[in-house]
């Protein structure tokens, strides 16, 4: 799975000039001067579930936990797993702060498959976000039921159905 975002305005879902708004998985972090351009990694490469699985495979190998699933290591609160999720969440939280600085949303809603990692991920994400944003930054809501996407899609469908055509 990848990484995405949405900006809902009073006029509805903001799709962008090229209909690519929210495709944040394609953003690449800036590289230090002198670094080869082909080494740039997108946010999707860094923050997808596949990226987390790869990072866990490397971390578990180096800490003697090879073959242990990340979910199992978290259930036992094993330090390498908890630390990985904290690092992962903090890095993502700092990047979300950049987007918030640009869009100034009323709220941020986090959802998706990675919800199952719970507090080790989201506590560090929220803490890092708060560390780099202003005191009046928007509230971060975690969609623990993982159904906000369905409610949002339904709301957009109803809004679209009742929208007045423009000329």
């Amino acid at each position: 799975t990848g990484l995405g975002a949405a900006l809902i305005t009073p006029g509805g879902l903001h799709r962008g000039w090229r209909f690519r708004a929210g495709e944040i998985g394609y953003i690449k972090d800036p590289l230090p001067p002198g670094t080869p351009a082909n080494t740039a990694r997108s946010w999707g490469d860094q923050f997808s579930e596949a990226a987390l699985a790869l990072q866990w495979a490397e971390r578990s190998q180096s800490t003697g936990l090879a073959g242990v699933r990340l979910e199992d290591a978290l259930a036992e609160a094993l330090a390498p797993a908890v630390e990985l999720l904290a690092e992962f969440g903090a890095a993502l939280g700092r990047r979300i702060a950049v987007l918030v600085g640009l869009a100034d949303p009323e709220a941020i809603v986090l959802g998706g498959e990675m919800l199952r990692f719970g507090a080790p991920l989201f506590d560090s994400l929220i803490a890092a976000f708060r560390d780099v944003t202003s005191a009046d930054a928007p509230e971060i809501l975690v969609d623990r039921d993982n159904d906000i996407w369905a409610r949002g899609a339904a709301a957009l469908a109803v809004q679209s159905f009742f929208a007045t055509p423009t000329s």
Side-chain angles (χ1 to χ4, degrees):
T1 60
L3 188 65
L7 180 60
I8 310 296
T9 67
L13 177 66
H14 176 72
R15 290 177 169 77
W17 183 255
R18 292 171 191 82
F19 300 98
R20 293 191 62 188
E23 296 289 343
I24 62 172
Y26 294 104
I27 297 171
K28 293 183 179 180
D29 286 328
L31 294 170
T35 305
N38 64 350
T39 62
R41 296 178 58 216
S42 71
W43 288 11
D45 290 340
Q46 297 174 67
F47 300 109
S48 66
E49 191 165 353
L52 181 59
L54 181 62
Q55 290 177 41
W56 174 244
E58 293 169 359
R59 176 93 37 118
S60 64
Q61 184 72 28
S62 68
T63 58
L65 295 172
V68 176
R69 292 176 354 122
L70 178 57
E71 292 88 341
D72 296 337
L74 287 169
E76 295 182 35
L78 298 178
V82 173
E83 290 166 3
L84 174 63
L85 266 289
E87 294 164 13
F88 193 88
L92 186 53
R94 289 188 294 273
R95 285 162 179 85
I96 291 171
V98 172
L99 299 176
V100 166
L102 177 65
D104 190 25
E106 179 181 344
I108 300 162
V109 180
L110 301 174
E113 297 86 4
M114 296 180 87
L115 286 170
R116 71 179 183 279
F117 297 119
L121 176 65
F122 291 110
D123 289 353
S124 62
L125 185 154
I126 293 167
F129 173 81
R130 293 278 174 232
D131 284 346
V132 297
T133 56
S134 63
D136 64 345
E139 181 179 8
I140 297 180
L141 308 168
V142 179
D143 176 24
R144 298 191 191 279
D145 296 326
N146 199 20
D147 67 354
I148 194 97
W149 66 270
R151 289 184 279 147
L156 288 172
V158 168
Q159 178 185 35
S160 178
F161 181 78
F162 290 106
T164 305
T166 57
S167 51

